[in-house]
Amino acid sequence: MRHDWSVEEIEAIYRSPLLDLVGRANAVHRAHHDPSRVQKASLLSIKTGGCPEDCAYCPQSAHHREVKLGKQQLLDPASVIELAKRAKDAGADRFCMGAAWRRVRDGAAFDAVLEMVRGVDDLGMEACVTLGMLEPRHAKQLKDAGLKAYNHNLDTSPEFYGQIITTRTYQDRLDTLASVRSHGIDLCCGGIIGMGESIRDRASMLQVLAGFDPHPESVPINALVPVEGTPLAGRDPIDPLELVRMVATARIIMPRSTVRLSAGRTDLNREAQIMCLMAGANSVFYGEKLLTTPNPEENSDSALFAALGPIAA
């Protein structure tokens, strides 16, 4: 278990021959995980739109006024808990709740989120939230409510970060992650590829992630989903094999982390998704929407998981 990877070492792994890369990642994966188990996580937007951040990829930013996205105020806890129950009945064992906030603030809205977390925890599901920046006291309240994990992505490398976001610094993100860790909450922290970054940028982001001790418990790997009206709307889709390489590299340098195949999965055919699973992904978001972008429907996911199983005689 290493925390001292250099960017050059990680980039060399990423660039290695694809079959060698996937083979190495698969061996690491099997050494640390049950290769037959893929966690299913469900994601719900509990407050949509109007975010004051200017993330270039995000349709929820109030800065991107040409995006056609209806705003939705914070959902009531009872409705959220009922949706979590439905997700559990559909096979999900983690329920993630996202609010388009810059930061957590004291008050009725945060109290409602704490009620949601308690309700999801009472269902026997892993509760995860993404609420923007937070201070240590908020992390403690979330932990006491039963929160399992906090999602706060790095998005990209420190070097490329300023090309994507200007309203929040990289250090702001690291400070939030430190607050989360200080109260024993699992880190769910990854990034996005396909935003115009270089391979070195991808390696640099992974180096930051692998520098955490311990490594993030969960590492979501996202491919950009271009949304009309955002500054990145015109980006071409990435080659699916770039996602395979990113998953495989993350698996090799963070052997015990859960690597989650996240946004962009709708652009992958069944075979590409299976290749990502072979490369070390062992979690997917399950359900038709990721906050505000599409995700494979449950029927197609059921067919995918059926294809992974044994063939009946």
Side-chain angles (χ1 to χ4, degrees):
M1 203 62 56
R2 289 181 54 186
H3 306 278
D4 61 348
W5 293 94
S6 70
V7 174
E8 290 75 19
E9 286 177 304
I10 297 171
E11 185 174 358
I13 292 170
Y14 182 101
R15 291 182 180 274
S16 60
L18 183 62
L19 296 183
D20 291 346
L21 174 62
V22 172
R24 179 181 175 186
N26 185 260
V28 171
H29 183 63
R30 286 174 175 272
H32 294 276
H33 302 271
D34 177 355
S36 67
R37 185 177 186 276
V38 179
Q39 182 194 54
K40 298 175 184 175
S42 181
L43 177 61
L44 174 69
S45 178
I46 58 173
K47 186 269 179 184
T48 305
C51 181
E53 306 285 11
D54 67 352
C55 308
Y57 55 82
C58 186
Q60 300 207 59
S61 171
H63 294 257
H64 312 326
R65 299 186 179 183
E66 295 181 6
V67 173
K68 295 178 180 178
L69 177 71
K71 293 181 182 179
Q72 173 185 277
Q73 294 304 308
L74 188 70
L75 299 176
D76 69 275
S79 298
V80 171
I81 295 166
E82 176 58 31
L83 290 169
K85 185 177 184 302
R86 292 185 202 173
K88 181 179 180 180
D89 292 342
D93 52 18
R94 173 179 283 214
F95 193 72
C96 306
M97 297 162 278
W101 292 341
R102 171 174 167 77
R103 64 167 60 249
V104 171
R105 298 185 185 279
D106 297 321
F110 184 51
D111 291 342
V113 171
L114 293 173
E115 185 177 344
M116 296 174 197
V117 170
R118 283 189 287 267
V120 172
D121 183 56
D122 287 344
L123 292 173
M125 302 181 77
E126 293 182 0
C128 176
V129 295
T130 178
L131 309 171
M133 296 183 287
L134 85 170
E135 297 177 18
R137 72 176 189 279
H138 299 128
K140 182 180 186 306
Q141 289 176 273
L142 288 164
K143 176 67 173 179
D144 291 344
L147 189 72
K148 171 68 173 174
Y150 195 90
N151 170 257
H152 200 65
N153 288 333
L154 296 178
D155 288 347
T156 188
S157 69
E159 297 80 10
F160 190 67
Y161 184 81
Q163 302 296 312
I164 302 300
I165 306 159
T166 65
T167 52
R168 180 189 303 180
T169 68
Y170 214 78
Q171 188 60 49
D172 287 334
R173 293 185 182 271
L174 297 176
D175 290 345
T176 290
L177 293 168
S179 295
V180 170
R181 266 277 163 84
S182 70
H183 287 284
I185 299 171
D186 287 356
L187 294 189
C188 177
C189 185
I192 308 169
I193 65 172
M195 299 189 293
E197 76 288 341
S198 65
I199 291 175
R200 187 172 181 84
D201 285 317
R202 296 174 187 178
S204 177
M205 180 187 74
L206 289 175
Q207 183 202 35
V208 177
L209 292 171
F212 286 109
D213 188 3
H215 294 150
E217 286 75 16
S218 178
V219 179
I221 302 297
N222 300 272
L224 176 70
V225 179
V227 177
E228 195 65 35
T230 65
L232 299 182
R235 298 293 313 176
D236 291 331
I238 64 164
D239 184 323
L241 294 182
E242 293 182 65
L243 201 57
V244 173
R245 287 184 177 276
M246 194 69 178
V247 166
T249 306
R251 169 54 66 221
I252 290 167
I253 67 172
M254 293 175 281
R256 293 179 184 165
S257 299
T258 294
V259 177
R260 181 167 296 112
L261 191 56
S262 300
R265 200 157 64 89
T266 51
D267 294 329
L268 303 181
N269 62 24
R270 182 181 67 169
E271 291 73 23
Q273 292 184 62
I274 290 173
M275 198 165 184
C276 285
L277 296 175
M278 291 178 62
N282 57 345
S283 179
V284 297
F285 276 119
Y286 192 67
E288 65 180 13
K289 184 180 285 189
L290 294 183
L291 295 182
T292 57
T293 56
N295 197 47
E297 295 181 356
E298 288 178 12
N299 287 344
S300 61
D301 276 340
S302 295
L304 171 67
F305 288 118
L308 296 174
I311 298 175

